[in-house]
Amino acid sequence: MATYTSVLDTVRNLKAKHGNTWATITPENAARIATQNRFKTGLDIAKYTAAIMRKDMAAYDADSANYTQSLGCWHGFVAQQKMIAVKKHQGTTDKTYLYLSGWMVAALRSELGPLPDQSMHEKTSVPKLIEEIYTFLRQADAVELNDLFRRLDAGEDVQDQIDNFETHVVPIIADIDAGFGNEEATYLLAKKMIEAGACALQIENQVSDAKQCGHQDGKVTVPHEDFIAKLNALRYAFLELGVEEGIIVARTDSEGAGLTQKVPVSQEKGDLASQYIDFIEAEEVTMDQVEDNDILLKRDGKLVRPVRLPNGLYKFKEGSNIDRVVLDCVTSLENGADLLWIETPTPNVKQIAHMVNRIREKVPNAKLVYNNSPSFNWTINFRQQAFDLMVENGEDTSAYKREELMDVKYDGTELANRADDLIRTFQETASREAGIFHHLITLPTYHTTALHMNDLVEGYFGDLGMLAYVGSVQRQEIRKGVACVKHQRMAGSDLGDDHKTFFAGERALKAGGAKNTSNQFEITASESDKELELVLDK
């Protein structure tokens, strides 16, 4: 990728070549603009971020403490503010990714309006959101670097910060649902997502036109051969576009899925199709019990009839779900997938580890992307886990009723504190004991938007009036140093002023003059220190 120095040299040579016709082009300005836009295409981003994920996966294999994290974002601005906050609070973007949730695309980005997570939204909305997210992240780079160049021009020694600038652009794991159609449709959509910047694609083994949210009922899985075809489609898309290190996340919904649409064709005893068919529930019959047009199987030398629902779907055997999950995962890893995603009914480390340990008997370096889902009631789940541990250890639980542990009266109790500690350490524990490489929350910004709007509305339309906004939003932005408190700057106003100066010189009409009300948010270093002390006191 081009550097400040390389662009400087290139433009100087071009000026010499084109003579007076380029007289008003300043090499320093051109190099500055180029530095502020490190990534020229989505493919540049996909290649760069794929390398990051591969490095992180190797680091996790060496030490499970090196797990990675992300939050689901449904708009470019949300992703931008997340990564600005990550850099501010963590000092680095290392091991931090973004997640694009198909659920949130359906619920928030469809032209048809809010939709359930059933692959009903426009498939083009997914690559458009990836492109939007990276546009906002690249703007975050440009805005921050522009501030640094301004400080450099003012005489500050910030050259090292410019030379070693850490980009806001990080890997995105993008949800392609069940592929939005057959394997050719999956391949075509995958290309659009990769071209937009996605280095990791997550695909699930549900029937595409019957897809359900992983945390709801009615899920229908496909035979392994069908899923492998879609894994191949993703890999060919990555290879065609030159993203050789692209990552495929294979998701299995078999833990909660009890139905299949197809009975695959077995070519020889014990093959994948045969193993899949063995999971289908069937009843032994004799020929005189068989009706016209019944479908029959031979199993262990006996004639059996698969159990079918009125809609024609076949039922899996009760209790076969974990065995199906293990077979799904091993098969996916043996056929080109890089990471696994297992949907679970609760966030229970022991249950996850039980499945992963079985998978690792076949594939020792198997690792998961895990959904720390808002669909789980984390409070009740972990309070009940804490309760069960107390019972197991012979401790007195007479002060608690297991089925009522969500009640506010238990807040602050010893049990509640233990449960909260289990929640706090869940990601670390699960990465160490259950093979989880990447932890994500699919829908956090969906819920935070709803919660914050609820709280603001309560005060603003109530007795607090404008104080509800000032006290809970603007004052907190100022005191916590939230970047977008100066929303004009965040939207690119200062950046645009500087560009207009490059283009038009002294004739440039700029927004950042004395009458710009954003100047009210300029505070001195001493004032900033006082504000920080107030925050720390709180």
Side-chain angles (χ1 to χ4, degrees):
M1 294 182 182
T3 64
Y4 182 88
T5 302
S6 66
V7 175
L8 200 62
D9 292 340
T10 297
V11 177
R12 283 171 176 164
N13 291 335
L14 287 169
K15 278 177 65 72
K17 175 182 176 180
H18 292 283
N20 288 337
T21 61
W22 281 43
T24 56
I25 300 299
T26 305
E28 290 76 11
N29 292 346
R32 175 169 162 179
I33 291 175
T35 303
Q36 291 171 186
N37 182 22
R38 176 179 176 183
F39 303 96
K40 311 310 179 192
T41 70
L43 286 178
D44 289 341
I45 292 172
K47 293 173 185 177
Y48 168 77
T49 53
I52 290 175
M53 280 195 70
R54 292 288 178 179
K55 174 180 67 69
D56 288 347
M57 289 160 65
Y60 176 81
D61 287 340
D63 183 353
S64 64
N66 294 316
Y67 61 88
T68 56
Q69 298 169 292
S70 68
L71 296 172
C73 298
W74 51 271
H75 192 279
F77 177 73
V78 176
Q80 179 195 68
Q81 293 305 303
K82 172 198 162 182
M83 293 314 305
I84 289 173
V86 165
K87 282 190 71 174
K88 182 177 74 172
H89 294 296
Q90 303 300 322
T92 178
T93 62
D94 188 40
K95 296 182 175 58
T96 303
Y97 303 167
L98 291 160
Y99 181 67
L100 186 152
S101 160
W103 192 101
M104 284 210 285
V105 173
L108 299 170
R109 300 300 300 253
S110 172
E111 293 181 9
L112 298 175
L115 297 171
D117 184 19
Q118 297 174 5
S119 290
M120 295 163 63
H121 54 282
E122 307 83 0
K123 64 176 69 176
T124 53
S125 59
V126 183
K128 284 180 180 177
L129 178 54
I130 297 169
E131 182 179 10
E132 175 183 292
I133 286 173
Y134 281 126
T135 297
F136 272 81
L137 295 184
R138 290 155 74 183
Q139 188 202 39
D141 282 359
V143 168
E144 187 175 335
L145 278 164
N146 195 63
D147 288 347
L148 288 170
F149 277 113
R150 282 186 167 193
R151 290 168 60 189
L152 186 69
D153 292 343
E156 288 189 55
D157 184 12
V158 294
Q159 188 62 55
D160 185 64
Q161 293 181 52
I162 294 172
D163 293 340
N164 296 289
F165 181 80
E166 185 177 35
T167 178
H168 296 86
V169 170
V170 296
I172 187 168
I173 299 175
D175 186 359
I176 197 171
D177 279 17
F180 286 89
N182 61 26
E183 52 268 35
E184 172 69 3
T186 301
Y187 155 77
L188 293 172
L189 177 56
K191 287 209 302 179
K192 290 297 183 183
M193 294 170 70
I194 297 164
E195 288 170 339
C199 73
L201 301 179
Q202 169 216 328
I203 188 164
E204 60 204 53
N205 68 337
Q206 291 190 48
V207 174
S208 185
D209 60 358
K211 180 259 191 301
Q212 296 277 15
C213 173
H215 291 275
Q216 293 186 310
D217 205 354
K219 293 182 289 294
V220 185
T221 62
V222 298
H224 297 96
E225 294 86 351
D226 291 21
F227 192 58
I228 291 169
K230 292 194 173 183
L231 296 180
N232 289 339
L234 299 187
R235 184 61 66 201
Y236 276 113
F238 275 123
L239 292 173
E240 178 184 347
L241 296 172
V243 185
E244 298 172 1
E245 298 296 329
I247 287 92
I248 298 173
V249 182
R251 169 177 146 180
T252 174
D253 282 288
S254 288
E255 200 286 335
L259 302 169
T260 185
Q261 192 177 59
K262 294 169 66 174
V263 177
V265 178
S266 175
Q267 301 295 330
E268 59 183 65
K269 186 176 181 180
D271 63 10
L272 273 176
S274 179
Q275 293 178 68
Y276 191 81
I277 294 169
D278 281 343
F279 288 125
I280 296 174
E281 185 178 332
E283 54 188 359
E284 185 178 347
V285 294
T286 59
M287 284 306 298
D288 60 313
Q289 295 173 312
V290 178
E291 304 289 343
D292 287 349
N293 298 319
D294 263 352
I295 293 174
L296 304 176
L297 297 172
K298 181 182 177 182
R299 182 178 288 172
D300 299 326
K302 300 175 181 177
L303 198 62
V304 297
R305 179 168 50 203
V307 175
R308 285 198 296 173
L309 302 181
N311 56 18
L313 298 174
Y314 296 89
K315 285 185 64 178
F316 286 118
K317 296 175 185 175
E318 291 293 330
S320 67
N321 55 337
I322 303 303
D323 290 337
R324 286 185 281 122
V325 165
V326 173
L327 181 60
D328 291 346
C329 291
V330 171
T331 301
S332 293
L333 291 173
E334 290 178 343
N335 287 275
D338 302 291
L339 295 167
L340 300 172
W341 174 309
I342 300 173
E343 284 289 2
T344 65
T346 62
N348 187 300
V349 173
K350 289 182 179 179
Q351 292 174 1
I352 303 166
H354 172 70
M355 292 183 281
V356 172
N357 289 336
R358 288 185 58 188
I359 296 163
R360 284 181 165 179
E361 290 174 6
K362 298 284 188 180
V363 186
N365 69 338
K367 44 191 169 288
L368 301 187
V369 172
Y370 187 73
N371 177 8
N372 293 213
S373 176
S375 292
F376 302 140
N377 184 330
W378 286 77
T379 301
I380 191 66
N381 269 293
F382 279 87
R383 286 185 180 183
Q384 289 180 344
Q385 288 181 38
F387 180 93
D388 294 342
L389 284 171
M390 291 175 70
V391 171
E392 185 179 322
N393 294 331
E395 298 180 60
D396 181 14
T397 58
S398 60
Y400 310 104
K401 290 186 178 181
R402 191 179 188 278
E403 66 277 8
E404 298 179 359
L405 289 174
M406 188 67 202
D407 197 305
V408 68
K409 69 183 179 183
Y410 293 116
D411 291 0
T413 63
E414 173 64 19
L415 182 146
N417 291 337
R418 291 189 192 185
D420 283 354
D421 195 52
L422 290 173
I423 295 171
R424 180 182 62 80
T425 59
F426 172 79
Q427 295 187 342
E428 177 186 350
T429 303
S431 291
R432 181 179 65 250
E433 299 179 8
I436 297 178
F437 159 72
H438 184 75
H439 286 275
L440 60 91
I441 307 177
T442 43
L443 319 177
T445 51
Y446 179 90
H447 290 280
T448 54
T449 301
L451 176 63
H452 292 165
M453 187 53 65
N454 174 80
D455 294 348
L456 177 60
V457 164
E458 181 182 19
Y460 180 73
F461 292 99
D463 295 338
L464 293 179
M466 192 58 195
L467 182 58
Y469 174 79
V470 173
S472 66
V473 181
Q474 189 181 78
R475 191 176 295 163
Q476 298 306 312
E477 287 180 304
I478 295 170
R479 291 180 173 174
K480 294 180 181 180
V482 175
C484 71
V485 67
K486 295 175 67 174
H487 49 262
Q488 309 285 16
R489 167 190 169 274
M490 197 70 257
S493 182
D494 292 354
L495 182 67
D497 274 1
D498 286 359
H499 287 176
K500 285 185 282 187
T501 302
F502 298 165
F503 307 150
E506 294 181 357
R507 295 179 59 254
L509 181 63
K510 296 187 286 187
K515 293 185 178 181
N516 188 327
T517 58
S518 289
N519 296 334
Q520 297 172 27
F521 296 99
E522 297 288 353
I523 57 176
T524 66
S526 61
E527 288 173 326
S528 179
D529 290 341
K530 290 176 183 176
E531 299 287 9
L532 180 58
E533 288 174 10
L534 287 171
V535 173
L536 293 175
D537 287 343
K538 288 186 175 182

